[in-house]
Amino acid sequence: MPEIIFLMGKSASGKDKIRRQLEADEQLALHPVVIYTTRPMRQGERQGIDYHFVSDEQAAELFASGRLIEKRTYETIQGPWHYFSMDDGQIVADGRTRYLAVGTLESYRAFVRYFGREHVYPVLISSRDDVRLLRAIHREQKQENPDYQEVCRRFLADSEDFSEENVRRAGITKQFENNGDLEDCVEEIRKAILENTP
């Protein structure tokens, strides 16, 4: 049974709030997998908790180490931002420990290739476009220097990245809706994890 719970969804689908609630659930006992990024830290984010924030130079050294699981690069208004996962000892797929990783559909597929489908359980969050766009704008308003162009770029890119065809190609048949009551969505995910993992 899969030990790695892989949480994914379009931007502003509620992944961060869902992730925090799942991590706080003592019965699930999930060990968070912290990925790396070269993008600037947002207000409220913490080094080593939300991401490992690294410089472009540090990222290049990590890429050359031979331990890269997956990497995504986004051409943003502020230049290229890298997001990536490393085989850095955070995950030991031995059937005894549950892990929680967060990423994109493409990074989920990379985890499946790296660890094997039998070790990775997909949790795809689905939210209506209008709900996501309002959430994204509201979140950006709280930033010291709001970047609405980046909000729009991510919104449009997600439509392509999470297309029905790509979801189907990844072998994902179940989605968890987060359009209103977050608690209902979290409880549905929680039950699915307990039923489908060690």
Side-chain angles (χ1 to χ4, degrees):
M1 295 180 83
E3 310 98 312
I4 304 167
I5 314 306
F6 201 96
L7 182 66
M8 64 197 123
K10 296 176 181 177
S11 177
S13 59
K15 294 185 300 295
D16 288 338
K17 287 182 179 178
I18 291 168
R19 172 184 58 84
R20 285 192 289 272
Q21 290 204 28
L22 294 176
E23 287 175 355
D25 190 307
E26 293 182 7
Q27 186 179 5
L28 293 178
L30 297 171
H31 295 259
V33 177
V34 182
I35 69 168
Y36 296 73
T37 185
T38 60
R39 79 152 166 77
M41 191 184 299
R42 292 183 186 139
Q43 271 183 274
E45 289 182 325
R46 295 156 297 167
Q47 176 68 274
I49 303 293
D50 297 290
Y51 290 96
H52 293 298
F53 293 95
V54 296
S55 67
D56 288 327
E57 294 75 19
Q58 290 170 313
E61 289 177 18
L62 289 167
F63 298 159
S65 72
R67 296 178 295 131
L68 186 69
I69 297 172
E70 58 88 24
K71 178 181 85 159
R72 294 151 279 139
T73 300
Y74 299 102
E75 296 298 332
T76 76
I77 305 303
Q78 300 177 38
W81 291 348
H82 303 295
Y83 292 79
F84 56 99
S85 303
M86 300 294 300
D87 188 354
D88 58 3
Q90 290 185 71
I91 298 174
V92 180
D94 59 6
R96 293 196 297 261
T97 305
R98 282 192 195 110
Y99 301 93
L100 180 63
V102 181
T104 65
L105 188 59
E106 191 51 43
S107 55
Y108 162 74
R109 294 175 72 181
F111 265 66
V112 167
R113 285 191 299 271
Y114 194 89
F115 291 102
R117 189 172 296 278
E118 69 275 15
H119 293 289
V120 189
Y121 181 72
V123 175
L124 176 57
I125 308 302
S126 173
S127 294
R128 293 192 327 259
D129 284 349
D130 60 328
V131 171
R132 289 192 312 105
L133 190 54
L134 289 171
R135 284 179 188 154
I137 290 169
H138 180 68
R139 179 175 67 190
E140 199 63 25
Q141 286 172 332
K142 296 177 182 176
Q143 300 303 310
E144 188 174 323
N145 298 303
D147 186 349
Y148 297 108
Q149 290 183 6
E150 177 59 16
V151 168
C152 293
R153 184 204 65 77
R154 289 183 71 183
F155 184 83
L156 295 172
D158 279 344
S159 294
E160 185 175 327
D161 293 345
F162 285 91
S163 68
E164 287 184 26
E165 181 182 342
N166 287 342
V167 170
R168 194 167 45 251
R169 190 180 300 132
I172 297 172
T173 57
K174 168 83 175 151
Q175 296 188 37
F176 299 86
E177 287 191 18
N178 180 28
N179 290 312
D181 191 339
L182 182 71
E183 300 303 322
D184 289 346
C185 180
V186 171
E187 183 57 26
E188 186 183 359
I189 293 168
R190 183 180 177 282
K191 286 179 182 174
I193 290 172
L194 291 171
E195 289 170 5
N196 292 285
T197 66

